[in-house]
Amino acid sequence: MYTQLQTSINLPLIPKTPPLPPFYRQPPAHLRPFPIRIAKNNCIINTRNSTINSSIRSSSLSGEEEQQKSSSTDRVRAYPFHEIEPKWQKYWEEHKTFRTPDDDDLDTSKPKYYVLDMFPYPSGAGLHVGHPLGYTATDILARFKRMLGFNVLHPMGWDAFGLPAEQYAIQTGTHPKITTMKNIERFRSQLRSLGFSYDWDREISTTEPEYYKWTQWIFLQLFKRGLAYQAEVPVNWCPALGTVLANEEVVDGVSERGGHPVIRKPMRQWMLRITAYADSLLEDLDDLDWPESVKEMQRNWIGRSEGAEMEFHVINPNGQQTDIKINVYTTRPDTIFGATYLVLAPEHILLSSIVSEAQSKHLEEYKELTARKSDLERTELQKEKTGVFTGSCARNPANGEAIPIWVADYVLASYGTGAIMAVPAHDTRDHEFASKYNIPICGVVLPNDENFSSFDKAYAGDGTMINSSNLTSGLDINGLSNKEAASEVTKWLEKTGNGKRKINYKLRDWLFARQRYWGEPIPIIFLDDTGETVPLPETELPITLPELDDFSPTGSGEPPLSKAASWVKTFDPSSGKPAQRETSTMPQWAGSCWYYLRFMDPKNSKMLVDRAKETYWSPVDVYVGGAEHAVLHLLYARFWHKVLYDIGVVSKKEPFQCVINQGIILGEVEYMACRDPNGNLISADVVDELSDYSQERVPEEEVTKSGESFVLKDNPSIRLIARAHKMSKSRGNVINPDDIVSEYGADSLRLYEMFMGPLRDSKPWNTSGIEGVHRFLARAWRLIVGSSSPNGEFRDGTVALDEEPSVEQLRSLHKCIDKVTEEIEGTRFNTGISAMMEFINAAYKWEKLPRSAAEAFVLLLSPYAPHMAEELWSRLGHSKSLAYEPFPKANPDYLKESTVTLPVQINGKTRGMIQVDKECSEEDAFKLASLDSRLSKFFDGQRIKKRIYVPGKILNVILDAQKVKVGQR
């Protein structure tokens, strides 16, 4: 019933009061102004007075508030991130450190690296700690590639049109533009506070006319090529919101936003003919470096299948064939003789023509019920099948039998022809439906299994055809394999005119209109006299939104823009005739379909993107975002890109070469204890046996880990349920990054999110975990800067010395360089951090810190913790930012292991191991063995008969048997 969530996280093994390196010397005790101690956060504080810089604290604080403030200040003093981070953020902004060169400044002979985040929707809630996960990963990659000499394009913008801002405007009376700008400012401020190296000169928003002018331009190109058209289609209509909703905006029959009832109703809507690119969208997936799961999701969404389309003629009550034909599509034409009924979607256009008078009322009631369900609900496999008989029948062309025509909601008008031939013996849904309504079941594919006895359940596999012959129709496929039979049936259909071979797709054309105000206006007008649809000339773009005070739904289905009467009434620029503007707007998807192109050339007022710039920067090398966009956003963007490729705007067939889906950061783990109906505690591993039990929250301090489970400290026999939920305001488990930055610093937040686990995995937040990486940064700081003075201040420079590093120091350093480089390139950021932690542990044992080693480590650290790295680089004597310094390269000579573990045998029996140099001589190996306390006892008073030494492999010492002591082992 409940799934236990593994929450163990490999935190750095750093003591809470780590020793200082040997090259640090505290002053003698008599020279220290006050006694000192090392606080739990590794900062040195005054124990005679627990306040640090007490002047910063108000005397009006209560004792509890003072304790909290002191704790926070102590952590700040671990290293001065509160001073460092604003300093370097200001420096980067003033010097435009991360500005990507443009036009004549861009050296196109250098390699390029375009790394992109799926840009955010700027909500009023601001960021939570889940957002920076992907942003930090792309920032590490961007900083790393800059240091490798690449031209890096790393931009940020805002997907800012959409329903949430419009609903807020309706509720508060605030114009959505005002709300949107305020939200953008908050998001921008939060992102800047985290030190991301975005080129803010390229910032864009989908709501700016300079941007959506080109969104409208793309629409016109689609329209001119017949890829944008209007059609009467069933849509998800939400009366309360007054708009059409996409399938993904409907959950369990209600709107995702507000929980309002949603119905299905036919409306005339703008559609984009994405189906025209189905084959291209499918075939080109093979060449992309995307997660295989994402590619498979797109393949399934496109849903290419090969089969046949066939005709079933409706027959009248007298059994005579009429001219009304029902077309069905099937991937199993071999089962045509097993088709015992037809099923039409409730929206099927022919229903009114074939329903009997007696069934008309029942059908209308059923259609009304169906209109309240989403497509997902209707096609859910586990749901009970429902339907209504139309009162009419059709003739099966293969055997001439009359079969009933039913209506059922598990058939969708948007897929295939909106009608199926039902073969209950060989389809699970059809079998359930036929069993419920007592419709005949006729098996026609016999499994190649001697134990098979009946068609009590649907059999969908391969086999041999039976019950599949009719002299009148001339079709006989008995005895054939079902695959051979499918081919024969298709040939027969085409020969007799009853059908044809057909390739079909699950992919439907894209419903592109929304009855909203806050979206891109569609650049189309309708002439008053003829109703003709006329695209506006490109010179008229952008068509900007009119100012409205009332954004609420009209109630009639007309979009809110219809209220702007003076805006709606216009003239055809070409003919001068009176016309009406289109009042539906584009969906939020529109602006996000092509924004990656605009980042290449954001200020261009003459064209969507300059061809030379697009040729250089395309495609996006790495695109990082949530898995929730794995299908629709990526599919829509690929569709628009392919259209732009066909008309010569872009030079590559695909927009995103590599896609990475980062995992979700869940809320902190909750521990739940279970009680039986009598109130007794019970272990979570037995709750499945109970029909009734309750749960209660257990504080983390009362929990301990036992093996792979969590148990009560006071009663280890009680296993707890440990789980973490997605962060949401409703659960109250959202962590605000502003709070983390204030208490631990942005570098600590960045480092922790990368250290939690693999980038692509979901993992729970653990505030105690961030303390571990904060201690690591404090250790790195003290390694290079030195310890603070008794009043908590740090020196201006460093303790690094201009001395050549030893071979062992170089080995430790270059091992770290090699590992960090490899792990960044493989986006395994957590293990890269582990390598740096190992280096710091090793460096704390050194007697001296060579400057060259310190500088190399700072450069390794800089993509992860850029603020601290910049400050350390400056203190090491450099006047410029390290952003474009060459990333360290590992020297292979220092990666070779210089020592080996040598087994030592006494009289052929291994007694211990010693560490020796690879080139160690036999005599030196024996001396090391003699000095080893575990081995020397065997040599005491013994005569060595001989030694057998294989360098790097083994040392075997043969003792004189006469001299071996009794009992010596």
Side-chain angles (χ1 to χ4, degrees), residues 698-880:
V698 178
E700 186 176 1
E701 57 269 20
E702 297 178 15
V703 178
T704 188
K705 194 171 186 183
S706 175
E708 295 300 317
S709 302
F710 293 91
V711 298
L712 286 174
K713 282 183 179 178
D714 295 340
N715 190 352
S717 66
I718 301 298
R719 184 168 72 80
L720 305 174
I721 296 170
R723 59 191 173 198
H725 300 273
K726 186 175 180 180
M727 288 189 182
S728 68
K729 287 189 291 185
S730 61
R731 295 198 67 88
N733 63 349
V734 173
I735 305 294
N736 189 331
D738 296 351
D739 298 335
I740 302 300
V741 170
S742 174
E743 192 167 1
Y744 298 94
D747 285 342
S748 292
L749 175 59
R750 291 168 59 109
L751 210 65
Y752 175 59
E753 296 216 349
M754 294 297 96
F755 192 59
M756 292 173 73
L759 174 64
R760 295 159 178 83
D761 291 357
S762 294
K763 44 259 178 183
W765 178 267
N766 187 336
T767 300
S768 62
I770 201 169
E771 294 176 354
V773 295
H774 187 70
R775 289 196 296 273
F776 160 68
L777 288 174
R779 295 189 82 210
W781 174 264
R782 291 196 311 279
L783 175 73
I784 297 172
V785 173
S787 59
S788 64
S789 63
N791 66 359
E793 297 296 328
F794 290 93
R795 72 185 74 201
D796 291 333
T798 70
V799 297
L801 301 175
D802 292 322
E803 295 192 5
E804 289 297 317
S806 69
V807 172
E808 285 307 312
Q809 288 174 330
L810 288 171
R811 285 197 179 108
S812 179
L813 173 64
H814 283 268
K815 181 180 177 181
C816 182
I817 293 172
D818 183 62
K819 185 66 173 177
V820 171
T821 302
E822 179 184 355
E823 301 308 81
I824 290 179
E825 289 175 339
T827 63
R828 296 179 295 270
F829 304 113
N830 55 323
T831 46
I833 296 170
S834 296
M836 289 187 283
M837 290 176 173
E838 291 175 13
F839 173 81
I840 289 295
N841 287 338
Y844 260 71
K845 299 173 184 176
W846 299 349
E847 289 296 327
K848 296 178 181 179
L849 178 65
R851 182 179 301 278
S852 61
E855 289 182 341
F857 172 75
V858 168
L859 294 174
L860 291 180
L861 181 66
S862 64
Y864 289 89
H867 305 91
M868 174 183 280
E870 288 277 23
E871 180 67 18
L872 292 175
W873 188 251
S874 174
R875 286 169 177 249
L876 284 164
H878 301 279
S879 59
K880 293 183 180 180

Side-chain angles (χ1 to χ4, degrees), residues 586-643:
M586 300 186 199
Q588 188 175 348
W589 300 105
S592 62
C593 273
W594 70 280
Y595 73 106
Y596 60 94
L597 292 171
R598 193 60 177 174
F599 278 136
M600 301 174 187
D601 193 13
K603 303 295 191 296
N604 197 328
S605 61
K606 297 180 180 179
M607 61 182 68
L608 185 147
V609 61
D610 178 80
R611 182 60 185 267
K613 294 177 183 178
E614 184 278 330
T615 301
Y616 178 73
W617 286 113
S618 285
V620 174
D621 295 283
V622 175
Y623 192 30
V624 178
E628 66 271 18
H629 300 301
V631 177
L632 295 182
H633 162 61
L634 290 177
L635 197 65
Y636 292 157
R638 292 180 64 218
F639 164 48
W640 276 31
H641 190 90
K642 289 181 179 298
V643 174

Side-chain angles (χ1 to χ4, degrees), residues 375-577:
D375 288 354
L376 187 62
E377 290 176 289
R378 288 172 56 175
T379 55
E380 186 180 359
L381 294 178
Q382 288 75 25
K383 83 176 188 73
E384 183 182 359
K385 305 299 180 290
T386 62
V388 175
F389 178 45
T390 63
S392 296
C393 295
R395 193 176 305 285
N396 185 329
N399 55 23
E401 293 182 3
I403 58 176
I405 304 171
W406 284 72
V407 173
D409 61 6
Y410 73 87
V411 176
L412 302 177
S414 59
Y415 178 66
T417 63
I420 65 167
M421 69 173 198
V423 185
H426 305 291
D427 182 273
T428 300
R429 292 185 308 175
D430 296 346
H431 195 285
E432 292 174 3
F433 192 92
S435 299
K436 179 176 180 178
Y437 292 106
N438 298 317
I439 301 173
I441 297 174
C442 175
V444 294
V445 181
L446 183 66
N448 299 320
D449 182 356
E450 295 179 357
N451 298 320
F452 182 80
S453 58
S454 71
F455 290 100
D456 290 339
K457 293 182 180 179
Y459 173 70
D462 295 333
T464 303
M465 303 307 302
I466 60 173
N467 302 324
S468 299
S469 177
N470 184 270
L471 292 175
T472 303
S473 67
L475 181 61
D476 181 3
I477 53 175
N478 277 336
L480 297 179
S481 71
N482 62 291
K483 287 185 170 57
E484 293 172 324
S487 178
E488 290 301 314
V489 170
T490 304
K491 292 177 184 177
W492 174 83
L493 288 169
E494 292 179 332
K495 180 180 178 181
T496 59
N498 287 307
K500 59 184 177 181
R501 187 182 308 276
K502 183 76 180 290
I503 295 174
N504 204 29
Y505 301 90
K506 288 183 182 177
L507 181 67
R508 300 293 92 199
D509 280 347
W510 177 5
L511 178 64
F512 197 68
R514 296 292 185 270
Q515 286 65 50
R516 301 176 188 162
Y517 167 73
W518 194 233
E520 298 93 332
I522 296 175
I524 294 290
I525 59 174
F526 306 97
L527 299 184
D528 287 353
D529 56 353
T530 63
E532 180 185 352
T533 303
V534 177
L536 286 168
E538 295 174 11
T539 54
E540 294 289 310
L541 303 181
I543 308 302
T544 57
L545 283 171
E547 292 294 327
L548 277 184
D549 296 324
D550 180 10
F551 320 102
S552 59
T554 60
S556 64
E558 286 292 313
L561 276 178
S562 63
K563 299 177 182 180
S566 60
W567 180 84
V568 173
K569 292 181 179 181
T570 187
F571 293 90
D572 177 10
S574 300
S575 66
K577 293 181 179 180

Side-chain angles (χ1 to χ4, degrees), residues 106-113 150-152 600 611-619 651-652:
L106 184 66
D107 180 3
T108 56
S109 66
K110 294 171 63 176
K112 67 91 180 179
Y113 191 72
F150 283 70
N151 286 327
V152 173
M600 301 174 187
R611 182 60 185 267
K613 294 177 183 178
E614 184 278 330
T615 301
Y616 178 73
W617 286 113
S618 285
S651 59
K652 312 293 191 304

Side-chain angles (χ1 to χ4, degrees), residues 74-181:
D74 283 353
R75 183 172 288 112
V76 166
R77 298 308 292 260
Y79 76 94
F81 66 82
H82 61 300
E83 299 171 358
I84 293 170
E85 293 180 354
K87 168 186 172 180
W88 286 102
Q89 288 163 20
K90 182 180 179 182
Y91 176 94
W92 295 329
E93 183 177 358
E94 290 178 348
H95 290 78
K96 295 188 181 295
T97 303
F98 307 114
R99 177 183 173 272
T100 303
D102 202 356
D103 299 328
D104 297 335
D105 298 333
L106 184 66
D107 180 3
T108 56
S109 66
K110 294 171 63 176
K112 67 91 180 179
Y113 191 72
Y114 186 0
V115 57
L116 183 65
D117 301 295
M118 292 186 184
F119 67 169
Y121 179 83
S123 68
L127 298 174
H128 62 64
V129 292
H131 291 107
L133 179 65
Y135 302 159
T136 303
T138 58
D139 196 55
I140 291 171
L141 291 171
R143 289 175 178 274
F144 175 66
K145 290 293 185 178
R146 283 192 199 94
M147 298 172 78
L148 291 181
F150 283 70
N151 286 327
V152 173
L153 181 56
H154 185 38
M156 177 50 70
W158 318 105
D159 188 13
F161 273 131
L163 185 59
E166 182 158 327
Q167 285 300 299
Y168 185 80
I170 293 170
Q171 295 164 11
T172 64
T174 306
H175 196 285
K177 183 174 183 178
I178 296 173
T179 305
T180 298
M181 293 305 297

